[in-house]
Amino acid sequence: MKTVYTCFSTDVIHEGHLNIIREAQKYGRVVVGCLSDKASIRYNRFPTVQENMRMDMYKKIKGIDSVILQDDMLYDDVIGYLHPDYVIHGDNWKEGVESAIRSHVQKLLSAYNGEIIDVPYTRNEDVKKTDLQLKEKLSMPEYRRKRLRQLISMTPIVKAMEAHSGLTGLIVEKTVIEGDNGRLDQFDAMWVSSLCDSTAKGKPDIELVDMTSRFRTIEDITEVTTKPIIFDGDTGGLTEHFVYTVRSLERLGVSAVIIEDKKGLKKNSLFGTEVGQTQATIEEFSAKIAAGKKAQLTDDFMIIARIESLILEEGMEDALERARAFVKAGADGIMIHSRKKDPEEIIEFCDRFREGDRATPIVAVPSSYNVITEDELAAHGVNIVIYANQLTRAAVPTMQQTAEEILRHHRAKEVDDRLMPIKQIITLIDEI
Ligand code: SPV
Ligand code: MG
């Protein structure tokens, strides 16, 4: 009897999956692989049903002989030990980024004369509706909010990219690449930066954009995306106001707020000591964290304390003392910031903090020390890396240069080659 293998990552079984099983049965005994939660995060969409429950769900489908766990999106593990005669899949994987997976599977199978069976992808209203419902489910506050904590426990390092609008949110949501090793890769989360949110509104990053407006940005993003959001809460404002902010963010489905231990007029950290900035005392900031934690209603939400000691040249000992105190006050994570080009002080902080605390998540924002890689950060105990402003910094020079050239040439012809074609911009939202 031949073995036919197919991999499912779905949370909901629809006609398309049943069709694959029916086709598979024609070739031999059917083994279904359940793509592990860890692999699903990178590959397709975040599972709303955990892998053990998905395995139970698949086992109940008629026509399946056995269900196994597939931990590698490229099928190396399963094909290595199962040696299926056939791998069956919807023919939608012939196109787009998934085609890299198909090519890899083909290579693995050809080593022993195994074959791929491509089944025409089922495109009916029911399947479309199920897909849409799954997406909707992931965008709901209760699913989105808890996703950051889930990611921290499931992946070596959570990768967050800044978003300040529906469009940039879509770019973070949908950008998927085939990495060097053939595996797909994408961002895990979004960072709603105070710098980029303010910049998009033409305002300086000094807590001038009010919370109602910042919440509006979050809503623009949540309307079109599903990935978890980390909100840059600046100083958190007055403690009496911060407790309301926590509740609003929870309601919006935000996963975490990061507040920094500064007081008075906040200026952007990357100014460092060039501008007057005052650090709050440990007691003052601990009280704000504790009040926020007390106000919090869900278990999922995280309040992360951002330490500005290295930015303000107050020294490593001060940074470490603050980190320990803020964790004691209830902080769910620590963000350590630096504006040095060399990551040395960040590495020292992480190593020394980890000596006494293995559990509290550490967040790093390598805008200045951008030579460090995600793997290196993870090796020093960093759990979340934030790319805080790169999309904004990419867009501004291009827009300025385009504006200048149109002025220079008194027409737009000269810039046209560099622009997205009109046909593409009018359908952009459907395409991305
Ligand atoms: C932001 O992105 O707004 C930040 C990070 O707070 S930084 O600009 O480096 O201070
Ligand atoms: Mg900020």
Side-chain angles (χ1 to χ4, degrees), residues 191 193-195 205 232 234 260 266 268 306:
W191 162 246
S193 147
S194 68
L195 172 63
D205 182 19
D232 178 357
D234 290 318
E260 57 196 275
K266 189 223 82 151
N268 187 276
R306 163 172 169 174

Side-chain angles (χ1 to χ4, degrees), residues 334-362:
I334 293 294
M335 172 183 150
I336 182 67
H337 207 15
S338 165
R339 64 194 166 87
K340 296 241 166 87
K341 280 214 156 296
D342 189 325
E344 193 184 6
E345 64 177 10
I346 287 290
I347 290 173
E348 183 187 343
F349 175 91
C350 294
D351 290 346
R352 289 187 58 191
F353 180 72
R354 279 281 172 257
E355 279 168 19
D357 186 331
R358 313 283 321 154
T360 306
I362 302 178

